[in-house]
Amino acid sequence: MSARCLLVVDDEPRFGEFVGKVAADAGYEVEVTTNGHGFQARYLEFQPTAVVVDLIMPEIEGIELVQWVAE
């Protein structure tokens, strides 16, 4: 695992990819997901050091994901 890993979740793929590109250019290893379930699966495998979470998404909202990570 890289020392700087970022996991992005946003239901608007273009925005998530934009954030990922900026982070990659800053030296982060980046994974981008487009929904809460994908975020949860990748979080467990990828073990990021930082996350960017869209707060308003269908199915699972960002605040629920933040609470899940905190648990």
Side-chain angles (χ1 to χ4, degrees), residues 1-65:
M1 177 175 76
S2 172
R4 295 170 37 144
C5 299
L6 176 68
L7 180 57
V8 179
V9 59
D10 196 300
D11 62 326
E12 295 182 31
R14 289 178 55 192
F15 184 77
E17 293 297 330
F18 171 75
V19 171
K21 181 179 179 346
V22 171
D25 289 347
Y28 281 83
E29 181 179 345
V30 179
E31 293 275 338
V32 179
T33 62
T34 58
N35 62 62
H37 296 294
F39 174 89
Q40 289 173 318
R42 289 306 304 143
Y43 184 89
L44 295 173
E45 294 176 23
F46 188 54
Q47 299 182 342
T49 56
V51 297
V52 172
V53 179
D54 183 2
L55 292 180
I56 300 173
M57 297 184 294
E59 296 182 28
I60 301 175
E61 292 200 359
I63 195 68
E64 294 174 86
L65 292 174

